[in-house]
Amino acid sequence: MNANDHIKTQQLQNADAARHLHPFADYSKKNEQTSRIIVKGEGIYVWDSEGKRFLDGMAGLWCTNVGYGRKRIADAVHQQMTQLCFYNTFFQTTHVPAIELAAKLVDISPDHFNHVFFTGSGSEGNDTVVRLVRHYWERKGQAQRQVIISRLNAYHGSTMAGASLGGWPSMHKQGGLPLPGIVHIGQPSYLEGGKGKTPEEFGLEAASWLEQKILELGAENVAAFIGEPVQGAGGVIVPPSTYWPEIQRICDKYEILLVADEVICGFGRIGHWFGSQHFGIKPDLITFAKGVTSGYIPLGGVLVGDRIATTLIEKGGEFNHGFTYSGHPVGCVAALENIRILEEEELIDQVRLNTGPYLQKKFQALADHPLVGNAEGIGFLGGMNLVRHKGATVHDNIPFDASQNVGMMCRLNMLDAGVIMRLMPGDRLLTSPPLTMTHADIDEMISMITSALDKTFDTLKQQKML
Ligand SMILES: *Cc1c(COP(=O)(O)O)cnc(C)c1O
């Protein structure tokens, strides 16, 4: 870092604090906390305005699956912007990028997906899900089927419908949410609810909450169940293996639509095009965003399964829904190029068969560290909890007092060590790195994490906080 960079950084930080209202931020603190300014990305690394390099263990925000700085995506975007920067897909018009991307998505998705509805983001995708699901049942002559069942601690975005489907009380409090007809059951978190049970027993129990809720509401009133195959922003919660097959059985039994929010799990993150393929389930709708373009340009959408598409095509009636940027041509070409990279570099097979298992082996071994109570994950997702005392099982671990801010201390040590992880309440740290990581990259990341854990542990010992 040189002095000039430092002064320039401070000026930018002050300008940012003065005018920029950040997402998910407390504005009373905006003049106390300075933001890190990221200026460059290449491969799995980003650099800040003072020249410090970080290994991006969060892939931006769960999205830069093919890594930073892909010139071929930039070239495709440049070419498209020059050729046709925008046109809408309303009023019986279309354009080649939307046609090609729809065909490609149908091609890579399970056989029963033959249609796609485009949006600009994951939240808009889930808003589309709510309207599509209710439109479907109305067209089927069962308009009373209104209720959508979701889960506590789910994350489905930040629009009114997205936040309603999500299960975060902090979001529901603001804006009078959830919307009518959206209800929540418990999440399949073994750490939270599995004490005294095997993961398999707990998975069945957590799925049974869906059946209980359906019976309580009356199956004839229930439209759909929605879930992330693996909860992402809620803390990388991998359900026990028994969970999803039982959810599928229950949805089938009561003829309830199953929606997989694949905004994080899609496009290779857990070693398949879609996370639902790993769990062997057959959703009627798939929400996608993030990894579809690796974040190079915003784009999202919903894959619409035959059960719904066929009914809507047969029964007719206008679907009064859509966005100016539904199928934005520049987003579509970015997605097409991103998908070509995933295919040509066989990144999804790598994650399933090679680098994913390697990352899991190394990441889960962090649980041997005296500060780490548990470390789990799947594919290129991982989460671990820092604990004061390790018990005989994960359910006997004793956490730190929240006021000690141990997670924050550790996260700052990680940044010092050169790696970005995300911090959750309960001193839980998450990773979701670019899918391009090699074994050597994974070793580097794990060694950075380990040195940050060691430093945190030493400080805690010195300060008698353990
Ligand atoms: C990020 C996310 C969303 C919201 O996507 P946006 O593009 O931020 O609107 C929805 N669902 C899941 C599972 C997500 O991780």
Side-chain angles (χ1 to χ4, degrees):
M1 184 213 332
N2 67 41
N4 252 345
D5 283 351
H6 190 57
I7 291 167
K8 189 143 176 257
T9 294
Q10 286 182 331
Q11 287 169 347
L12 285 167
Q13 285 171 329
N14 292 341
D16 184 73
R19 297 176 201 97
H20 181 184
L21 299 178
H22 290 243
F24 290 94
D26 177 346
Y27 302 130
S28 73
K29 302 210 168 90
K30 81 194 201 71
N31 293 317
E32 301 160 24
Q33 298 170 342
T34 50
S35 292
R36 188 176 305 279
I37 301 166
I38 303 297
V39 295
K40 181 180 130 122
E42 184 64 45
I44 61 171
Y45 301 102
V46 293
W47 282 260
D48 75 9
S49 52
E50 306 209 325
K52 185 165 169 58
R53 189 190 81 167
F54 301 94
L55 193 161
D56 186 4
M58 279 310 296
L61 197 55
W62 320 85
C63 57
T64 51
N65 288 11
V66 300
Y68 295 88
R70 295 285 193 159
K71 188 164 175 302
R72 45 190 287 196
I73 301 182
D75 288 346
V77 162
H78 179 265
Q79 155 63 23
Q80 183 58 42
M81 281 193 172
T82 320
Q83 164 94 23
L84 177 69
C85 63
F86 173 74
Y87 206 78
N88 73 66
T89 54
F90 291 36
F91 323 125
Q92 284 193 303
T93 36
T94 189
H95 43 67
V96 177
I99 297 167
E100 287 186 355
L101 182 59
K104 188 71 204 176
L105 291 171
V106 164
D107 185 38
I108 61 174
S109 59
D111 286 348
H112 66 288
F113 286 103
N114 289 295
H115 294 86
V116 55
F117 189 101
F118 290 116
T119 70
S121 69
S123 301
E124 290 175 3
N126 285 326
D127 276 52
T128 302
V129 161
V130 171
R131 304 201 58 204
L132 203 50
V133 156
R134 291 179 175 169
H135 180 52
Y136 164 81
W137 284 117
E138 189 274 326
R139 295 280 75 201
K140 285 281 275 188
Q142 299 186 49
Q144 82 292 348
R145 279 204 193 244
Q146 287 281 311
V147 183
I148 301 175
I149 303 176
S150 181
R151 302 178 298 182
L152 298 170
N153 197 37
Y155 188 77
H156 295 298
S158 197
T159 50
M160 296 294 265
S164 295
L165 293 171
W168 292 15
S170 58
M171 291 179 80
H172 290 171
K173 260 198 334 218
Q174 295 169 340
L177 304 178
L179 296 172
I182 295 178
V183 301
H184 298 80
I185 59 172
Q187 60 176 342
S189 165
Y190 181 65
L191 210 54
E192 179 187 83
K195 188 174 169 63
K197 297 159 201 152
T198 65
E200 291 72 25
E201 288 164 356
F202 174 70
L204 292 176
E205 179 187 322
S208 77
W209 302 333
L210 175 60
E211 189 155 25
Q212 284 165 27
K213 184 58 88 179
I214 292 169
L215 295 174
E216 175 192 319
L217 294 163
E220 69 284 4
N221 299 314
V222 180
F225 174 74
I226 183 169
E228 303 151 82
V230 176
Q231 284 156 266
V236 180
I237 294 159
V238 185
S241 62
T242 48
Y243 180 76
W244 276 115
E246 181 64 6
I247 291 282
Q248 176 82 63
R249 187 192 69 75
I250 295 166
C251 287
D252 289 348
K253 179 171 172 193
Y254 298 100
E255 291 177 41
I256 287 160
L257 296 169
L258 177 57
V259 185
D261 181 344
E262 300 261 13
V263 171
I264 286 177
C265 292
F267 298 90
R269 176 117 335 255
I270 66 171
H272 295 266
W273 283 109
F274 298 100
S276 45
Q277 294 169 304
H278 170 87
F279 292 104
I281 53 171
K282 195 170 172 238
D284 297 293
L285 295 168
I286 284 178
T287 318
F288 61 88
K290 296 194 171 112
V292 65
T293 59
S294 284
Y296 279 68
I297 296 270
L299 181 93
V302 183
L303 280 159
V304 182
D306 290 343
R307 176 176 171 195
I308 295 176
T310 308
T311 299
L312 296 183
I313 292 164
E314 276 172 10
K315 305 262 178 190
E318 185 165 328
F319 183 41
N320 297 302
H321 177 74
F323 303 99
T324 303
Y325 299 137
S326 283
H328 194 293
V330 179
C332 288
V333 296
L336 283 161
E337 201 58 34
N338 175 62
I339 292 170
R340 271 182 218 118
I341 293 172
L342 288 170
E343 287 180 327
E344 285 169 24
E345 298 181 10
E346 299 179 352
L347 290 172
I348 296 178
D349 288 346
Q350 287 297 314
V351 169
R352 187 173 66 260
L353 303 169
N354 176 12
T355 51
Y358 186 75
L359 173 65
Q360 289 307 322
K361 188 174 107 197
K362 295 281 166 160
F363 185 80
Q364 292 180 23
L366 291 170
D368 296 337
H369 193 280
L371 204 51
V372 179
N374 56 283
E376 59 280 321
I378 181 172
F380 263 41
L381 288 172
M384 64 181 179
N385 288 68
L386 308 184
V387 298
R388 191 158 62 81
H389 173 78
K390 294 213 258 189
T393 74
V394 291
H395 297 109
D396 305 311
N397 291 342
I398 301 174
F400 289 100
D401 196 273
S403 66
Q404 292 180 287
N405 281 323
V406 173
M408 184 52 84
M409 182 196 298
C410 189
R411 182 169 188 274
L412 294 174
N413 286 335
M414 297 221 180
L415 292 171
D416 274 347
V419 61
I420 299 172
M421 288 184 83
R422 171 151 167 190
L423 175 65
M424 303 286 301
D427 303 314
R428 185 162 172 84
L429 287 151
L430 311 181
T431 185
S432 168
L435 310 186
T436 50
M437 300 246 287
T438 62
H439 287 219
D441 295 334
I442 291 166
D443 290 344
E444 184 189 11
M445 179 168 91
I446 296 295
S447 100
M448 287 167 164
I449 294 173
T450 305
S451 79
L453 288 169
D454 289 345
K455 188 168 163 197
T456 308
F457 187 67
D458 289 346
T459 307
L460 290 170
K461 266 201 309 205
Q462 276 161 23
Q463 300 185 355
K464 309 226 172 333
M465 286 166 77
L466 269 172

